[in-house]
Amino acid sequence: MKTETSIQYERRHFLKRLGAGSLAAIALPAFANEGHVQLMAPNGGSAPDEKYWEQIQKQFAVPSNLIMLNAANLCPPPTAVNDQVKKMLDGLGKDVSFQYREQFSEKRKKALQVLAGFTGVGKEEIGITRNTSESNNIIVNGLDLKPGDEVLLWDQNHPSNASAWEQRAKRYGFTVKKISVPADPQWIEDLIKPFRDAITPRTKLLGFSHISNTSGIALPAKELCMLAAEKNVLSLVDGAQSFGFLDLNLKDLGCDFYTGSTHKWFMGPLENGILYVKKESADSLWPNIISAGWKEGALTVDEKYCMLGQRNETTLAGIAETVNFHQTIGKKNIENRVVQLNTYLKDQIKAKVPGATFVTPLPTELSGGVTIISFAGKKPAELSKKLYEAHGIAAAPTGGIRMSAHIYNTLNDIDKVVKALQAISV
């Protein structure tokens, strides 16, 4: 039988390892699955319990007096990811020679390889940009569109997948049509019908945010991409709010183009984005940023569209470590946890904060990891400021009070958030 002293020693030793390196080295129950190590719940069940997630929380440097609920904008990376990037940045500060920087090429190749595996695509189909906005603009400026052509966009798209199209349309004469969906959809068909009804023989592309950052509505991306393909229309999915949260396989999703950022739900390094171009759709897209290293006839997405000149290559070291972090926990476990946290948040607000009005649909199949509420007569910016200054809770005044819980949050954190909402709503 273990003594209290031995238990305390094991706990200290465990926490020391939590702060010292990769999660893959943690001695929690695990099993091998298709070459990846995935952590099981301590009780041997199929889903990790709350104690497990409390240990995961310790992988992040967020102090105990702060609660980060801003995954829709920026996530803290795990300590192991920060360590990898810091190590490379420190090295570069000492040696900026071409010889030292040769390793960045290999790290980029490794990052592309693991990202391809993580998203279920061929390594020639994915590239690394600086963020979702840049990836979106590569698509916006890379397609041949002319007067008479039409682009359909969700009216809740991010500006990089909305205003960017409008500016190009002014220059080249094609038409941009924006599609609205019900503010309070009751079922998935409510989100599909407006797009189906809007497609015409002139439509060349359907572009939409997978999950809205202003309402929290999650569009049925697979169904919309299938609809587009049936009509011989290209599809662009802005995955800023789904990459790293949902257990995605982009081949299964069926899109022609997919974009995302590593610093949001993926919990990875800053100044990195992903660009997926389906192999069969690559011929329709022209490169529009060309720098050193670009070659005529390049066959991969990264070589053809993502040669962006000098950039902070040290951050690439954190991408493989971030993928390892996701795979160690299990992509589906992460998705389920985010859904659990946001469902609990909605339920608790509904039960205990009577003055709150939900902007985000309550059903999980119609929403993602973004939960937005509002209070009549109160300004979201002022309430978000109070949440942070008085309660240490980082949210966003976007569409209301936007809260985006992730795996570094616990159910106890959510309880504190609800109490804080009660206090500021008075």
Side-chain angles (χ1 to χ4, degrees), residues 163-183:
S163 300
W165 287 107
E166 293 172 331
Q167 287 300 306
R168 185 159 187 241
K170 289 179 181 179
R171 183 179 180 187
Y172 290 97
F174 61 88
T175 301
V176 172
K177 184 189 296 184
K178 292 190 175 181
I179 309 302
S180 299
V181 300

Side-chain angles (χ1 to χ4, degrees), residues 40 45 64 80 160 180 224 233 240 249 302 322 374 391:
M40 296 174 64
S64 60
S160 64
S180 299
L224 290 177
V233 171
N249 181 299
D302 196 62
T322 309
S374 64
H391 303 279

